[in-house]
Amino acid sequence: MLIEQLAEGIPAMEKQHRNTDQFVFTWVIENFSMWIPYEQYLFSPRFILNSLPDMEWYIVFYPTQRSERNCRFFFLQRTGFLPQRCTVNCDIQILDSHENLILKRELIFDRFSSAYDFTCFCIKHHSWKFLTDDVLIIQCNLQAVEEKDNNDPLPQISYENGLFTDATLRAGDALFRVHKAMLWARWPKLLEKIGSEANFELVMDVRPAVLEAMLQYVYSGKLDCSKSNSLKQLSSAVARYELPNLSSAAVVAQKARTRIYGDKVSLEWPIINASSLPVGTELQSQVFTVNKLTTQRWYLIFHVGRNVYGRVYEIFICRVCDHKSQPTFVTTKISFDKNHSKENEQELESDAKWKCASLSQSDLKDPYNVLKLKCELKFCINSHSSEITESSYAFVSSLDHHHFISDLRKLYRSEIFSDVIIVAGSKSFCAHKFILCAQSPVFFKMFQTEMAHFVTIPNVDPDVIDQMLIYMYTGKVLESFYKFTELYSVAVTYDISDLKKICMLRLYS
């Protein structure tokens, strides 16, 4: 019988896709090659899309195994839970310091029913070794697209009917009776001024029209910013009374910089008569120090050896024994003519001796028998700092509900200032009468005629009642929910018309 009722008059499954947010995040990493790739994670500062306020995004420079040191792995990650269908399109570009393109990838995040989704991209060694000034730039252009049912409206909550209000705000001669629960969820700093006293009246130093606009935003999640004649006064009142998330300027781009601390040392070491030196000869360079590692002293060793192929020339980098020094990551580039060089990297302990390059007899091509070693050394102890250096804003004509749904979801789960308990089976759910009355004519009539503090709903799955209440607060149905036949029956019982339409769409989709 229920299925037959559902089949009658099912609305067409019209859905609209609308671009709810676009954000560009640029991460500049200075001294990129000096980060130890297999020791620690390197995190970018976090950023938030305006339309997804409960979700933080960040980039992770992922440590690789030593056997994979020719790659650098990066992960774009998000954290947070979004119980609605949404896709984020992401265009990632890897650039050098002159904004020349190294790598480009297009990604789509569409698994928003679980938290901690991520995606990976890899930069090969042949790409990063040509970075100008050792600066790597990662630019992420993200665009959130929400798939929204036409029959999935925001909850219509109002203070104007005066139902179950417990606080009064005065602006001039105008009185506004409001709910402390809404202030807790949407305007906590104002609630602190009111305190716990019942029916307290707070006098506010703002024009009535300004306070009315602020309460419109608190109760609906929307505000028309095009009325410029009161926008300045509104901005002043928002700052004075600390109304959060209300600004006609949205952050649309941010630039962050991470500076990896270390030092670079360049040495030229000519080895005279290199090919004539006896096997077993070992030459030592002068001892040198590094600016940011002043407690550490270093030197090079040139060793003449032999293998089955002939003479070999080995270059070692050594640290003077100092048990107080911490391990240091060293990258080396040993050039022995204009066109040839040897590159290597290693983490060195306090008294380490490490062979960073090896040459053969054929590498010695100088007619004067002088081996001119040019050594470029980089030292890093995995220390860094990060900061947001730039933020760009765009002014909007109206503010949408990006924080509104999450705020009301938190209100429902918090049970703060609740005044009715809904009992279903062995579970009970705390709720607010003014929200139930706004969504259901049945609850409206019930609470108008009775002083009910408990409502028992028999023979219904508690999970279904929980979802009904979630919808009444947020206008959303959880993606993981599937008991739409039972939910439809409850929506009919309490005459929640929009929820009935959503159930029909889900049952016949």
Side-chain angles (χ1 to χ4, degrees):
M1 182 66 178
L2 177 61
I3 299 300
E4 293 176 358
Q5 293 175 356
L6 286 170
E8 296 179 2
I10 295 179
M13 286 200 61
E14 298 178 358
K15 293 182 179 180
Q16 58 185 6
H17 288 78
R18 57 186 181 89
N19 295 335
T20 60
D21 197 11
Q22 187 166 356
F23 189 90
V24 179
F25 180 74
T26 303
W27 187 23
V28 180
I29 307 176
E30 299 178 356
N31 298 326
F32 166 73
S33 65
M34 301 179 73
W35 186 256
I36 301 177
Y38 35 76
E39 291 295 331
Q40 295 182 14
Y41 296 90
L42 181 65
F43 294 88
S44 76
R46 299 194 174 199
F47 56 95
I48 298 175
L49 278 67
N50 292 300
S51 61
L52 305 175
D54 292 335
M55 188 176 298
E56 292 184 324
W57 298 78
Y58 55 96
I59 303 169
V60 183
F61 182 8
Y62 192 75
T64 60
Q65 300 297 321
R66 295 174 188 266
S67 60
E68 299 173 334
R69 65 185 183 185
N70 287 329
C71 292
R72 296 291 189 265
F73 289 97
F74 288 84
F75 287 79
L76 175 62
Q77 294 189 259
R78 68 163 185 88
T79 180
F81 182 76
L82 183 67
Q84 64 188 53
R85 287 164 292 180
C86 185
T87 298
V88 175
N89 301 324
C90 182
D91 177 77
I92 298 178
Q93 295 186 6
I94 309 298
L95 311 168
D96 65 15
S97 61
H98 298 297
E99 299 189 356
N100 296 314
L101 183 64
I102 297 175
L103 175 70
K104 181 176 181 179
R105 286 199 64 184
E106 294 182 359
L107 310 168
I108 297 178
F109 287 83
D110 58 4
R111 300 184 303 276
F112 277 76
S113 57
S114 61
Y116 305 104
D117 288 341
F118 63 88
T119 192
C120 172
F121 52 98
C122 174
I123 306 176
K124 298 290 186 180
H125 179 268
H126 64 80
S127 297
W128 88 69
K129 69 178 182 178
F130 297 112
L131 289 176
T132 307
D133 303 323
D134 202 15
V135 173
L136 181 73
I137 301 175
I138 304 176
Q139 188 172 88
C140 299
N141 191 325
L142 296 95
Q143 186 173 57
V145 181
E146 181 183 354
E147 184 182 276
K148 183 174 180 177
D149 293 336
N150 286 338
N151 299 293
D152 191 15
L154 283 173
Q156 301 298 311
I157 303 171
S158 176
Y159 62 91
E160 295 176 345
N161 57 21
L163 287 176
F164 309 108
T165 58
D166 50 6
T168 303
L169 306 178
R170 177 183 290 275
D173 295 332
L175 294 178
F176 301 85
R177 292 179 173 82
V178 296
H179 304 89
K180 289 182 179 179
M182 286 298 291
L183 298 183
W184 178 89
R186 303 276 292 149
W187 200 348
K189 289 297 183 180
L190 192 67
L191 181 63
E192 291 178 8
K193 296 179 183 294
I194 294 175
S196 59
E197 185 177 341
N199 296 313
F200 181 83
E201 180 177 307
L202 177 66
V203 179
M204 301 179 65
D205 185 19
V206 296
R207 292 175 50 200
V210 171
L211 180 55
E212 184 178 10
M214 297 167 79
L215 290 175
Q216 175 195 352
Y217 176 74
V218 168
Y219 276 82
S220 70
K222 294 185 177 183
L223 181 64
D224 185 358
C225 300
S226 61
K227 299 177 180 179
S228 57
N229 57 341
S230 60
L231 188 57
K232 183 177 180 180
Q233 294 177 350
L234 177 62
S235 300
S236 176
V238 165
R240 186 191 315 164
Y241 291 101
E242 300 179 81
L243 176 57
N245 306 319
L246 177 54
S247 173
S248 58
V251 180
V252 295
Q254 282 186 321
K255 186 174 183 179
R257 180 181 64 192
T258 293
R259 179 173 293 167
I260 298 171
Y261 294 114
D263 265 312
K264 302 177 183 179
V265 175
S266 295
L267 301 171
E268 291 190 1
W269 190 15
I271 308 296
I272 309 298
N273 299 321
S275 62
S276 303
L277 295 173
V279 173
T281 298
E282 190 168 279
L283 306 178
Q284 179 178 318
S285 74
Q286 293 183 342
V287 176
F288 60 92
T289 59
V290 183
N291 289 336
K292 289 187 172 60
L293 306 173
T294 54
T295 62
Q296 300 182 13
R297 295 185 296 158
W298 304 81
Y299 61 94
L300 299 176
I301 289 178
F302 178 82
H303 178 264
V304 182
R306 181 184 294 276
N307 60 20
V308 295
Y309 301 103
R311 291 166 65 92
V312 292
Y313 305 93
E314 300 169 322
I315 297 93
F316 295 83
I317 184 169
C318 308
R319 182 159 71 179
V320 177
C321 182
D322 180 0
H323 297 293
K324 295 181 180 180
S325 297
Q326 57 185 308
T328 304
F329 186 70
V330 182
T331 62
T332 62
K333 180 180 180 181
I334 309 297
S335 303
F336 47 92
D337 61 38
K338 293 182 179 180
N339 301 315
H340 298 87
S341 63
K342 305 281 186 176
E343 297 184 36
N344 215 333
E345 60 185 25
Q346 182 69 30
E347 184 179 18
L348 299 183
E349 301 296 333
S350 59
D351 56 350
K353 176 182 177 181
W354 169 53
K355 183 173 71 174
C356 55
S358 180
L359 311 178
S360 65
Q361 184 67 39
S362 62
D363 293 323
L364 276 64
K365 300 178 181 179
D366 186 83
Y368 301 102
N369 197 22
V370 177
L371 177 60
K372 298 178 181 179
L373 296 177
K374 183 178 180 180
C375 308
E376 298 178 26
L377 312 175
K378 299 178 183 179
F379 300 84
C380 180
I381 56 174
N382 257 24
S383 175
H384 71 285
S385 63
S386 297
E387 60 179 341
I388 298 292
T389 57
E390 295 179 21
S391 294
S392 300
Y393 296 82
F395 290 95
V396 295
S397 60
S398 63
L399 294 177
D400 213 337
H401 62 273
H402 305 317
H403 295 271
F404 184 67
I405 293 173
S406 60
D407 288 344
L408 288 188
R409 186 185 303 119
K410 292 174 185 176
L411 175 61
Y412 169 56
R413 293 303 187 194
S414 73
E415 303 179 0
I416 295 291
F417 295 111
S418 60
D419 53 3
V420 64
I421 296 177
I422 309 297
V423 180
S426 60
K427 292 186 177 181
S428 58
F429 306 92
C430 295
H432 302 83
K433 291 180 179 179
F434 73 94
I435 291 181
L436 303 188
C437 289
Q439 304 299 333
S440 165
V442 176
F443 278 122
F444 180 87
K445 183 177 181 180
M446 178 190 303
F447 296 139
Q448 284 287 84
T449 57
E450 306 175 24
M451 294 298 293
H453 298 291
F454 291 87
V455 176
T456 300
I457 303 179
N459 305 319
V460 180
D461 187 334
D463 291 341
V464 175
I465 298 303
D466 185 40
Q467 178 57 79
M468 178 192 75
L469 293 171
I470 290 174
Y471 178 82
M472 297 176 82
Y473 278 76
T474 68
K476 300 291 180 182
V477 175
L478 297 177
E479 280 293 309
S480 58
F481 187 79
Y482 60 92
K483 301 176 183 179
F484 285 100
T485 301
E486 296 93 327
L487 185 60
Y488 176 83
S489 179
V490 173
V492 170
T493 300
Y494 291 97
D495 195 14
I496 310 172
S497 58
D498 291 324
L499 182 57
K500 289 189 289 184
K501 295 176 183 178
I502 289 176
C503 291
M504 289 190 289
L505 288 172
R506 297 293 180 88
L507 285 168
Y508 284 88
S509 61

